[in-house]
Amino acid sequence: MGVLNVTPDSFSDGGRFADPEAAVAHGMAMVVEGADVVDVGGESSRPGAEPVSEAEERRRVVPVVEALAPHVRVSVDTVKPSVAEAAVTAGATLINDISSSLHEVAAGLGVGWVAMHMQGEPRTMQQAPTYDDVVAEVVAHLAGRIEVAEAAGVDEIWVDPGIGFGKSLAHNLSLLRHLDQLVGLGRPVLVGTSRKSSLGRLLADSDGLDEAVGPEDRLEGSIATATWALAAGASMVRVHDVLPTVQAALVVGPPSSWDATG
Ligand code: HH2
């Protein structure tokens, strides 16, 4: 899943694809690089981000979805029912929902739904994330969302641990380490670590630096965690750098391919 932020303020690529033509060109480039899905978002969810009006978010997202949908599967990264509806009308077939609350909308529209775990809300979620047992709590939350979505009639349900959404570095690492528990829920797992700040901290530690490494220098960490997630059973990874991720994923392959034959 390639990330396409049609926003002025996303944490790693804000402003680069705010113009619809630039956004569509980047979306098509990711398709050529091997993306199976392009995830179009019109509102940043980075810590501290300011909310965007429904009309503005629709204005950003709809023309880009319309242009890409004939060429690739498009998901819409939104928490607003009206934006999800407009994007589906424009051709999106998957609602990527960081609030994990749009199951009725997905059911009504007859499209797939990604339920992502988040503690708190984007503006304040990184101030003091707290869990007794982060893995158990995230798994329980997503199991509950699967149940309500099944009851609502959603056929295609994805779950996502929400790396960096109300989570410390230690929380994120625990979730990656125990991804098998999410996989055990029996629904396809999506994981997004690409360019996230935990990687900036890890890469700085490994280089003996005091300051976290910036988003533009987090490629190796992004690829390492994406391939880790795929090897641990994730069905899709949400990434900014499609080509190197696809290449790394092809090298690693599914773990079943590692068994010696003959
Ligand atoms: N992460 C971001 C946004 N949407 N959706 C899912 N399902 N999983 C994620 O991990 C996830 C997500 C944050 O990354 P990005 O879109 O690059 O930044 P911003 O929110 O600033 O636009």
Side-chain angles (χ1 to χ4, degrees):
M1 172 185 272
V3 179
L4 187 53
N5 290 318
V6 194
T7 58
D9 59 343
S10 287
F11 79 93
S12 78
D13 55 3
R16 281 190 62 202
F17 311 114
D19 162 57
E21 258 176 51
V24 172
H26 184 58
M28 289 307 296
M30 291 194 290
V31 175
V32 172
E33 290 180 357
D36 293 322
V37 177
V38 172
D39 188 40
V40 179
E43 177 177 47
S44 172
S45 51
R46 74 181 157 75
E50 286 305 321
V52 173
S53 76
E54 288 187 22
E56 173 61 14
E57 197 178 328
R58 276 200 306 268
R59 191 191 65 76
R60 292 177 183 177
V61 159
V62 165
V64 176
V65 172
E66 229 159 35
L68 291 175
H71 307 285
V72 65
R73 184 170 198 195
V74 175
S75 60
V76 59
D77 186 350
T78 190
V79 296
K80 298 190 183 79
S82 77
V83 175
E85 248 177 76
V88 169
T89 304
T93 59
L94 184 62
I95 300 175
N96 177 21
D97 172 15
I98 65 163
S99 69
S100 66
S101 64
L102 299 186
H103 49 287
E104 302 275 2
V105 178
L109 294 167
V111 295
W113 179 59
V114 178
M116 194 201 77
H117 176 275
M118 167 165 60
Q119 186 181 78
E121 43 110 16
R123 222 164 31 81
T124 52
M125 65 191 177
Q126 288 308 103
Q127 284 169 8
T130 312
Y131 301 84
D132 288 329
D133 180 336
V134 65
V135 176
E137 287 169 48
V138 169
V139 169
H141 172 80
L142 293 174
R145 301 325 288 162
I146 291 171
E147 258 181 51
V148 295
E150 277 173 348
V154 184
D155 286 335
E156 181 188 0
I157 304 167
W158 291 75
V159 291
D160 182 329
I163 298 298
F165 284 84
K167 288 157 193 110
S168 67
L169 171 59
H171 296 142
N172 292 327
L173 292 176
S174 286
L175 286 164
L176 289 173
R177 165 83 179 84
H178 297 286
L179 212 55
D180 56 323
Q181 294 194 30
L182 231 63
V183 175
L185 291 174
R187 294 286 177 167
V189 173
L190 169 65
V191 177
T193 58
S194 184
R195 300 187 187 169
K196 286 191 176 166
S197 64
S198 288
L199 299 175
R201 190 64 264 152
L202 283 175
L203 290 167
D205 289 348
S206 72
D207 282 352
L209 303 171
D210 288 337
E211 248 182 56
V213 168
E216 64 291 350
D217 286 326
R218 297 175 185 165
L219 178 62
E220 296 85 348
S222 300
I223 293 174
T225 46
T227 51
W228 166 273
L230 292 168
S235 297
M236 184 152 68
V237 286
R238 183 182 180 278
V239 304
H240 299 84
D241 302 287
V242 171
L243 184 63
T245 311
V246 167
Q247 288 177 331
L250 288 173
V251 170
V252 172
S256 56
S257 70
W258 300 346
D259 287 330
T261 50

